[in-house]
């Protein structure tokens, strides 16, 4: 019995529930019966859920899919998507007006559920040097692993972090966020802007590179050394 | 940018011939001089070399090589099917293993396409060890034409901020190409005296900014200018020595960098880039 439970996995995803059927030669009737048992164990818990189904390579015929859909409907659950590598299943799903991919909803099946302690924010990561004439623009944060050469440009709605030498033009908080910061291992931009503020680097070519963070403080941009 | 020339495959693989494009972005850094001198140096090493002047409308390579008076047909005549390739090839009298395919002077860059350049290079491959393309300044059509058939790219720059800035742009563009031809750097017209006085970027400063392999440092040398005016590249000068070294490095030899000044400074910094061995030998001459 316990081993048979591995046949069906239920987990929560952003879009609702994901039911995963392990590749198995069990009869469809057996599968639906097991599922019923599993769902009824926590009846109230699944009520009203939107359900996506991953059947792996199993070919599922229209009447089989119908029986499953009915089973879910009885428990006030809605099947909205079926994911499968089987062409038969995909065609079945399409004929029933179901989605065949979760990717459109921005969630990949392989992606593990992220349960971060901190909320965090999205950022664009660029892992190479930005040479003259290249630019990166994002409404979020931008992280660059590499240099930003003179003539290159980084514009971000949020913060800009450069793990390298920052020599080009950089604009953080481009949508007006004055709390945005710019960090670099060597902060020597041609021009640095935060929100509506603008500044240039002092002209001391032979200075020693050091990590710095630029931010707006009392109405002007200041650069602070990072002292670990 | 599309310089892929989708329909014509590069047939470089598996053959010994190499298509090398000399480019810089900025004008006036010495692309044409480098092309001519490098081609001559390669013929001295027993290689068969053909130069293609891709600077249509502003051709110069024929002048530097002293072949201006012998031009009858040009690159555009070949591209437009009026002449077979062999008819546009001019053989150098002094260096019989050196040929030139001159640019047309009365047309512009749009007279040739990247695909046509690839075809021409492929047609030349069986007969030559090196096909050297002199790229026009800029990053537009002429540049795309010259880059399209390249197996390798040599970027010429001068130790000045503007030339280095443009070289960085070129390297950036090359990096975005689907087929990323390997690029190496030639720093041309270095004045050791000025470097020592901190009035000129040192080769170390330049490679620090560009982060690309260095294949040659050419000192400023009046004889190059004089030779260019005479139309006969001179490989015995100090700059000529630098070009011979680049040619040998292209052939895979490990040649230590010339000691352009007597003591220390930037030279040690480039030497370091090439490992301790080069640094040790370099001191000897």
């Amino acid at each position: 019995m316990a081993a048979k439970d591995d046949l069906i996995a239920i987990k929560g995803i952003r879009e609702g529930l994901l039911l995963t059927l392990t590749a198995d030669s069990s009869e469809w009737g057996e599968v639906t019966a097991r599922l019923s048992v599993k769902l009824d164990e926590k009846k109230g818990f699944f009520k009203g859920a939107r359900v996506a189904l991953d059947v792996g390579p199993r070919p599922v015929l229209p009447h089989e899919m119908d029986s499953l859909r009915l089973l879910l409907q009885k428990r006030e659950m809605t099947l909205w998507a079926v994911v499968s590598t089987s062409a038969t299943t995909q065609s079945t799903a399409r004929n029933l007006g179901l989605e065949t991919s979760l990717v459109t909803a921005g969630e990949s099946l392989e992606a593990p559920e992220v349960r971060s302690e901190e909320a965090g924010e999205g950022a664009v990561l660029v892992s190479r040097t930005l040479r003259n004439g290249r630019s990166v623009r994002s409404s979020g944060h931008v992280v660059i692993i590499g240099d930003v050469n003179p003539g290159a440009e980084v514009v971000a709605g949020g913060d800009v972090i450069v793990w390298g030498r920052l020599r080009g033009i950089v604009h953080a908080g481009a949508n007006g966020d004055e709390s945005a910061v710019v960090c670099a291992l060597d902060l020597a931009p041609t021009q640095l802007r935060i929100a509506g503020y603008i500044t240039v680097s002092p002209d001391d070519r032979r200075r020693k590179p050091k990590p710095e963070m630029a931010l707006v403080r009392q109405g002007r941009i200041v650069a602070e050394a990072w002292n670990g | 940018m599309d310089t892929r020339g989708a329909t014509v495959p590069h047939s470089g693989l598996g053959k010994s011939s190499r298509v090398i494009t000399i480019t810089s972005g900025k004008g006036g850094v010495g692309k044409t001089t480098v092309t001519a001198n490098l081609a001559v140096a390669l013929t001295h090493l027993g290689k068969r070399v053909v130069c293609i002047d891709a600077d249509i409308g502003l051709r110069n390579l024929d002048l530097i090589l002293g072949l201006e008076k012998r031009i009858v047909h040009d690159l555009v005549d070949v591209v437009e099917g009026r002449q077979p390739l062999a008819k546009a090839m001019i053989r150098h009298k002094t260096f019989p293993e050196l040929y030139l395919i001159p640019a047309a002077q009365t047309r512009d860059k749009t007279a040739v396409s990247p695909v046509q350049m690839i075809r021409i290079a492929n047609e030349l491959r069986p007969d030559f060890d090196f096909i050297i393309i002199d790229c026009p300044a800029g990053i537009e059509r002429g540049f795309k034409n010259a880059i399209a058939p390249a197996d390798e790219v040599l970027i010429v720059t001068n130790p000045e901020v503007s030339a280095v800035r443009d070289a960085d742009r070129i390297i950036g563009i090359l990096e975005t190409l689907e087929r990323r031809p390997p690029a190496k750097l030639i720093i041309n017209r270095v004045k050791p005296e000025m470097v020592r006085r901190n009035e000129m970027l040192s080769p170390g400063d330049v490679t620090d900014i560009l982060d690309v392999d260095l294949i040659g440092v050419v000192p400023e040398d009046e004889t190059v200018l004089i030779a260019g005016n005479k139309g006969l590249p001179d490989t015995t000068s100090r700059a000529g020595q630098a070009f011979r070294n680049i040619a040998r490095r292209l052939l895979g030899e490990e040649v230590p960098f010339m000691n352009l000044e007597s003591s220390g400074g930037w030279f040690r910094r480039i030497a370091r880039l090439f490992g301790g061995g080069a640094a040790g030998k370099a001191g000897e001459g």
Side-chain angles (χ1 to χ4, degrees), chain A residues 128-134 147 149-151 165 167 190 205-206, chain B residues 165-166 168-169 171-173 175-176 198 201 205 208-211:
Chain A
R128 66 186 145 76
T129 289
L130 286 188
R131 293 187 183 271
N132 180 14
R134 314 300 302 173
D147 296 343
N149 284 0
R165 297 177 292 193
R167 300 281 158 83
T190 312
R205 209 183 132 217
R206 296 289 172 197
Chain B
R165 192 68 64 89
D166 289 1
D168 192 48
R169 180 88 170 98
I171 299 165
I173 292 172
E175 283 173 351
T176 63
N198 256 333
L201 295 175
D205 293 334
D208 197 38
I209 297 165
L210 295 180
D211 190 26

Side-chain angles (χ1 to χ4, degrees), chain A residues 105-125:
Chain A
E107 177 77 270
S108 145
L109 275 178
E110 288 74 26
E113 215 176 333
V114 178
R115 287 206 185 280
S116 176
E117 205 170 296
E118 298 286 337
E121 292 167 45
V124 170
L125 175 68

Side-chain angles (χ1 to χ4, degrees), chain A residues 124-130 142-149 154 159-167 170 181-188 209-213 226 228, chain B residues 211:
Chain A
V124 170
L125 175 68
V126 179
S127 296
R128 66 186 145 76
T129 289
L130 286 188
V142 173
V143 180
I144 291 166
I145 301 179
D147 296 343
V148 176
N149 284 0
V154 180
D159 302 335
V160 177
I161 320 279
V162 179
W163 186 262
R165 297 177 292 193
L166 174 48
R167 300 281 158 83
V170 61
V181 299
V182 176
C183 311
L185 293 186
D186 181 12
L187 186 72
K210 59 173 188 286
E212 285 180 303
M213 176 189 281
W226 182 79
Chain B
D211 190 26

Side-chain angles (χ1 to χ4, degrees), chain A residues 64-195:
Chain A
E64 295 175 330
M65 192 64 80
D66 244 356
S67 70
L68 183 103
R69 200 151 67 144
L70 209 65
L71 179 158
L72 292 171
Q73 259 170 24
K74 274 190 203 156
R75 287 160 183 83
E76 291 177 54
M77 298 162 77
T78 334
L79 183 67
W80 68 278
V82 176
V83 180
S84 173
T85 53
S86 152
T88 308
T89 309
Q90 285 173 10
S91 134
T92 298
R94 270 193 295 271
N95 288 337
L96 292 171
L98 300 168
E99 294 288 332
T100 53
S101 163
L102 305 184
V103 177
T104 48
E107 177 77 270
S108 145
L109 275 178
E110 288 74 26
E113 215 176 333
V114 178
R115 287 206 185 280
S116 176
E117 205 170 296
E118 298 286 337
E121 292 167 45
V124 170
L125 175 68
V126 179
S127 296
R128 66 186 145 76
T129 289
L130 286 188
R131 293 187 183 271
N132 180 14
R134 314 300 302 173
S135 71
V136 171
R137 283 162 195 276
S138 167
S139 55
H141 308 296
V142 173
V143 180
I144 291 166
I145 301 179
D147 296 343
V148 176
N149 284 0
E153 198 178 69
V154 180
V155 178
D159 302 335
V160 177
I161 320 279
V162 179
W163 186 262
R165 297 177 292 193
L166 174 48
R167 300 281 158 83
I169 294 173
V170 61
H171 192 176
N175 300 326
D177 179 5
E178 292 185 10
S179 70
V181 299
V182 176
C183 311
L185 293 186
D186 181 12
L187 186 72
T190 312
Q191 199 182 83
L192 190 152
R193 304 179 200 177
I194 295 176

Side-chain angles (χ1 to χ4, degrees), chain B residues 2-284:
Chain B
D2 188 355
T3 62
R4 275 163 283 162
T7 56
V8 181
H10 283 256
S11 58
L13 289 173
K15 291 194 181 177
S16 60
S17 73
R18 294 158 68 179
V19 180
I20 300 178
T21 297
I22 316 282
T23 186
S24 68
K26 189 175 183 297
V29 299
K31 280 180 299 296
T32 303
T33 310
V34 168
T35 304
N37 282 277
L38 195 55
V40 170
L42 284 165
T43 62
H44 282 319
L45 295 170
K47 299 297 170 187
R48 273 173 74 81
V49 182
V50 58
C51 296
I52 302 176
D53 189 347
D55 202 350
I56 297 160
L58 287 169
R59 74 177 176 211
N60 280 151
L61 186 54
D62 54 316
L63 296 173
I64 304 292
L65 287 171
L67 297 172
E68 182 194 15
K69 292 175 185 165
R70 295 175 52 206
I71 296 175
V72 182
H73 305 297
D74 57 48
L75 184 64
V76 175
D77 291 324
V78 177
V79 162
E80 295 181 346
R82 283 188 298 275
Q83 297 295 333
L85 191 52
K87 284 272 186 187
M89 290 191 345
I90 305 166
R91 186 174 201 167
H92 204 283
K93 279 175 287 192
T94 316
F95 314 107
E97 295 298 286
L98 176 61
Y99 292 75
L100 169 71
I101 299 174
Q105 186 62 324
T106 55
R107 301 289 295 275
D108 63 44
K109 310 300 191 248
T110 57
V112 177
S113 74
V115 174
Q116 287 163 333
M117 288 297 286
I118 295 173
R119 280 206 191 101
I120 286 176
N122 286 349
E123 200 177 329
L124 291 165
R125 281 180 194 272
D127 299 323
F128 290 94
D129 299 307
F130 285 91
I131 298 151
I132 303 184
I133 301 173
D134 185 17
C135 179
I139 52 174
E140 295 83 17
R141 180 64 171 270
F143 168 72
K144 293 175 190 182
N145 285 343
I147 274 315
D151 298 325
E152 300 154 60
V153 176
L154 295 184
I155 294 158
V156 182
T157 193
N158 294 156
E160 0 173 318
V161 173
S162 56
V164 172
R165 192 68 64 89
D166 289 1
D168 192 48
R169 180 88 170 98
I170 292 290
I171 299 165
I173 292 172
L174 291 174
E175 283 173 351
T176 63
L177 297 182
E178 204 172 293
R179 177 188 65 82
R180 294 173 57 166
K184 293 211 166 85
L185 185 71
I186 296 173
I187 306 174
N188 194 25
R189 294 203 190 127
V190 176
K191 293 182 182 172
E193 275 300 307
M194 287 184 71
V195 173
R196 192 157 50 224
R197 292 196 303 263
N198 256 333
E199 290 166 353
M200 178 179 266
L201 295 175
S202 73
D205 293 334
V206 176
T207 53
D208 197 38
I209 297 165
L210 295 180
D211 190 26
V212 62
D213 288 344
L214 188 63
I215 195 170
V217 177
V218 183
E220 174 86 319
D221 188 339
E222 286 178 1
T223 60
V224 172
L225 180 77
I226 296 164
N229 285 339
K230 279 197 283 190
L232 194 67
D234 171 12
T235 52
T236 60
S237 64
R238 202 148 165 70
Q241 173 69 50
F243 288 120
R244 281 207 304 281
N245 288 351
I246 295 170
R248 287 166 63 196
R249 290 185 193 112
L250 275 177
L251 296 176
E253 258 185 78
E254 269 190 43
V255 186
F257 279 75
M258 288 197 300
N259 199 351
L260 296 187
E261 60 175 350
S262 44
S263 63
W266 61 265
F267 169 72
R268 293 221 174 105
R269 292 164 65 184
I270 16 169
R272 218 180 298 138
L273 292 173
F274 289 85
K281 273 178 253 167
E284 294 155 22

